[in-house]
Amino acid sequence: MIPAIAVIFAVIIFPWVFTVWMSLNDWRIGMSSEFIGLGNFQMLATNNRFLSTIPRTLYFTFLSVLLPVVLGVFAAEVFHQKFPLRGLLRGIYIAPMMATPVAIALVFTMMFHPQIGVLNYLLSLVGIPKQLWVYSADTVIPTLAFVEVWQWTPLVMLIVLGGLASLPTEPYESAVIDGASQWDMFRYITFPLILPFLMIAVILRTIDALKSFDIIYVISQGGPGTASETINLYLYLQAFSFFQIGHASAVVIVFFVLILALAMILLVARERLRWNR
C-alpha cells in the first residue's frame, strides 16, 4: 500500500500541488519568484485576451462534439447493416483516427491554401467561389473543427456500433409486425437504447476537444490575429513564449476547473437519463 501511495503522490498529487503553488507566485524563467497570492487569477479575470479564449474554446468544442455525434450515429447505422465488403469499408472508415494529428494538420494546411489548395479547386468545379478557410477570422474555427470532425467521427461510430450490436432483436420484430417505419424504429427503439453509449461518446469527445492543441497550432497557430487562439494555445504562449510560469499555472488551474465542470454536467445528465429509463 505504501508504494502505491508514494507513486500516486509523486505522479499525481505533487505536480498538482506544485502547479497550485506556482500559480500563487509571480515567476518568470530566469528571475526570482515572488508570492502574490491570487494576483495571477485577478489578472486573468480582467485580461480580455484570455477571457475571449473561453467562448472561442467552447465554440470549437461544441462543433467538434455535435457534428461527430450526428455523423457517427449515421455511419454506425450504415455499417450495422450487412452488405458486401463491410469489414473492409469499416477499416477504411476508421483509418483517420489512427493518423497523428500533426500529419493530418500538415495535409489539411495544404488543402486549405486559398490559391493552390485542392478544396478551392473542387469548389470551383461546382461554381462556388473560393474560400479563405483558416485565413479568415470568420471561418477559421469552423474550418479547424472540420478537421477534428474528419478525424474523430470514426471513434463515435465505433462506440455507437458497439451499442447497436448489443441491442435485443425482440423490439424490432414486434415493431415490424405493427408496421412501424425505419424512422419510427430508430426514434422509439434504437435511439433511446443507444443513448447511454452516445453520452459516453459525448463525454470523451468533449474532454478531448477542449484539450485540442496540435491541430490548431500547426494549421493556424492561433491566427489570423488571435481568432483561433483557444485556452490551450494561450497557455502554451504564456509558458513557452513569454516564460510567465506563474501566469500560465493560473491558466492551468482555471482550465482544469472548466473541464471538470463540463465533465460533471455531462455525467449528471448521463445519470438522469439512466434514472428516467
Side-chain angles (χ1 to χ4, degrees):
M1 182 177 176
I2 293 178
I5 294 176
V7 170
I8 292 174
F9 179 82
V11 176
I12 299 176
I13 297 178
F14 175 74
W16 268 111
V17 172
F18 189 62
T19 302
V20 172
W21 171 250
M22 287 192 297
S23 71
L24 302 177
N25 286 269
D26 181 15
W27 180 29
R28 299 188 182 191
I29 292 180
M31 302 177 65
S32 58
S33 63
E34 178 186 359
F35 183 79
I36 57 172
L38 298 177
N40 283 320
F41 295 95
Q42 292 173 344
M43 289 174 59
L44 286 179
T46 57
N47 186 328
N48 290 329
R49 180 171 176 176
F50 169 72
L51 294 177
S52 65
T53 64
I54 297 177
R56 197 176 296 133
T57 303
L58 295 177
Y59 178 39
F60 174 80
T61 302
F62 175 75
L63 294 177
S64 300
V65 174
L66 177 65
L67 297 178
V69 166
V70 174
L71 297 175
V73 171
F74 177 75
E77 279 287 330
V78 171
F79 284 112
H80 186 58
Q81 310 301 319
K82 293 182 179 179
F83 54 85
L85 302 178
R86 184 179 65 168
L88 174 64
L89 294 176
R90 277 183 181 177
I92 295 174
Y93 190 79
I94 64 174
M97 59 183 282
M98 300 178 187
T100 61
V102 173
I104 292 173
L106 288 174
V107 172
F108 274 95
T109 298
M110 293 184 285
M111 294 173 66
F112 287 142
H113 195 283
Q115 301 301 324
I116 60 174
V118 67
L119 291 181
N120 275 343
Y121 170 74
L122 294 175
L123 291 180
S124 68
L125 296 180
V126 293
I128 298 177
K130 292 181 178 180
Q131 305 296 317
L132 292 176
W133 304 108
V134 294
Y135 298 91
S136 167
D138 296 328
T139 58
V140 63
I141 291 293
T143 304
L144 292 170
F146 169 76
V147 182
E148 282 272 318
V149 172
W150 180 82
Q151 184 178 18
W152 294 115
T153 295
L155 174 66
V156 178
M157 186 273 287
L158 285 177
I159 295 174
V160 177
L161 201 57
L164 289 174
S166 66
L167 298 185
T169 58
E170 292 80 3
Y172 294 96
E173 295 170 353
S174 301
V176 171
I177 295 173
D178 292 339
S181 64
Q182 290 292 328
W183 169 247
D184 289 335
M185 287 192 282
F186 174 80
R187 182 179 177 185
Y188 295 110
I189 300 176
T190 304
F191 185 74
L193 291 177
I194 65 170
L195 204 49
F197 297 91
L198 270 181
M199 288 305 299
I200 292 174
V202 169
I203 292 171
L204 292 176
R205 280 301 305 139
T206 300
I207 295 174
D208 193 51
L210 281 170
K211 298 186 301 179
S212 182
F213 173 80
D214 23 27
I215 284 179
I216 300 174
Y217 185 76
V218 174
I219 294 180
S220 70
Q221 297 184 339
T226 58
S228 62
E229 187 177 74
T230 58
I231 299 176
N232 242 351
L233 263 72
Y234 178 83
L235 166 62
Y236 175 83
L237 292 175
Q238 297 303 313
F240 300 108
S241 294
F242 306 134
F243 306 113
Q244 296 180 338
I245 303 302
H247 187 72
S249 299
V251 177
V252 171
I253 303 297
V254 174
F255 195 21
F256 175 74
V257 171
L258 176 64
I259 294 176
L260 191 63
L262 286 176
M264 292 301 296
I265 291 172
L266 292 172
L267 286 173
V268 169
R270 181 174 180 269
E271 290 302 311
R272 287 191 174 181
L273 285 174
R274 180 182 300 177
W275 296 335
N276 292 332
R277 290 180 64 190

